[in-house]
Amino acid sequence: MIAAFRALGPPSVKHPQRGEAFNWLAHLDLVKYIVAQDLETALVLEDDVDWDISLRHQMHLISVAVRDFTGTPKSEPAPYGQLWDILWIGHCGERINKDTRRLEFLDPMVPLAENYTGWAKKYIDVIAPGRRAVHRSINPVCSFGYAMTRHGAQKVLRRAGKGENEAYDIRLLEGCKGK
């Protein structure tokens, strides 16, 4: 299956390396499960993720911000609403600019900007100290933790189910750029 998946698509597109193909197929199995079980939403966490002990409180803050950002009606019972496809809650970087429409919210667990290390460090200064932001992603990298709606999972299967890129997260990144 790995060899077949790596060979999908025309020679002109990027193809995943062996390890990337394993990762991609594992994520696709989870996405297929979400669709097959007809789940409204699901949270996917990679097995090597290390979360802060205040995750439950942070997720509540994110829930309120996502609902506000997407204009979710108060009558919608889903904690995060359903007016989104994928929520990147665990990633290794995202480009955010001063003019990026976002909703910032206070989170006392946010690390100091000077303690942040990563390729996206130059974008952290855009967000006020002690705050997190919900915004429309255009360059999310890595897939340590993300949530999907049923509709989002169906989109992922259509757009990323046949490979045609170097890695799963990069294929999803392309989908974000294409809205």
Side-chain angles (χ1 to χ4, degrees):
M1 283 190 65
I2 296 300
F5 185 78
R6 289 183 64 200
L8 287 176
S12 60
V13 301
K14 292 181 180 178
H15 296 276
Q17 296 297 317
R18 188 172 186 273
E20 293 164 333
F22 272 103
N23 176 278
W24 198 321
L25 288 172
H27 281 279
L28 285 180
D29 281 347
L30 289 169
V31 176
K32 288 187 285 187
Y33 180 82
I34 294 165
V35 172
Q37 294 299 312
D38 203 28
L39 301 176
E40 289 184 30
T41 61
L43 175 63
V44 177
L45 301 173
E46 290 190 354
D47 62 355
D48 57 349
V49 172
D50 183 18
W51 293 98
D52 189 289
I53 60 169
S54 62
L55 177 63
R56 186 175 182 156
H57 174 69
Q58 290 171 322
M59 292 307 294
H60 173 70
L61 297 173
I62 292 169
S63 169
V64 171
V66 167
R67 290 178 69 89
D68 289 348
F69 186 80
T70 60
T72 299
K74 299 247 187 264
S75 60
E76 167 62 54
Y80 299 83
Q82 293 193 37
L83 299 175
W84 49 274
D85 293 324
I86 301 175
L87 292 177
W88 257 270
I89 58 168
H91 55 79
C92 59
E94 164 72 276
R95 189 175 74 226
I96 186 168
N97 302 313
K98 289 182 181 181
D99 61 345
T100 300
R101 181 174 93 70
R102 64 185 174 276
L103 189 148
E104 292 188 17
F105 57 96
L106 187 62
D107 182 349
M109 300 309 296
V110 172
L112 299 172
E114 58 264 18
N115 293 338
Y116 183 84
T117 59
W119 68 268
K121 183 174 177 65
K122 60 187 169 190
Y123 302 110
I124 295 298
D125 293 341
V126 172
I127 301 170
R131 296 185 168 270
R132 294 194 190 274
V134 171
H135 63 94
R136 185 181 220 313
S137 288
I138 57 166
N139 199 63
V141 179
C142 299
S143 52
F144 304 135
Y146 59 94
M148 296 182 143
T149 61
R150 178 185 308 123
H151 182 255
Q154 291 167 342
K155 277 180 150 179
V156 167
L157 286 179
R158 280 193 307 274
R159 293 184 171 88
K162 57 185 176 191
E164 297 187 354
N165 205 308
E166 63 199 270
Y168 175 75
D169 63 322
I170 303 301
R171 184 65 186 107
L172 296 184
L173 176 153
E174 289 176 344
C176 286
K177 286 183 178 179
K179 298 186 180 180

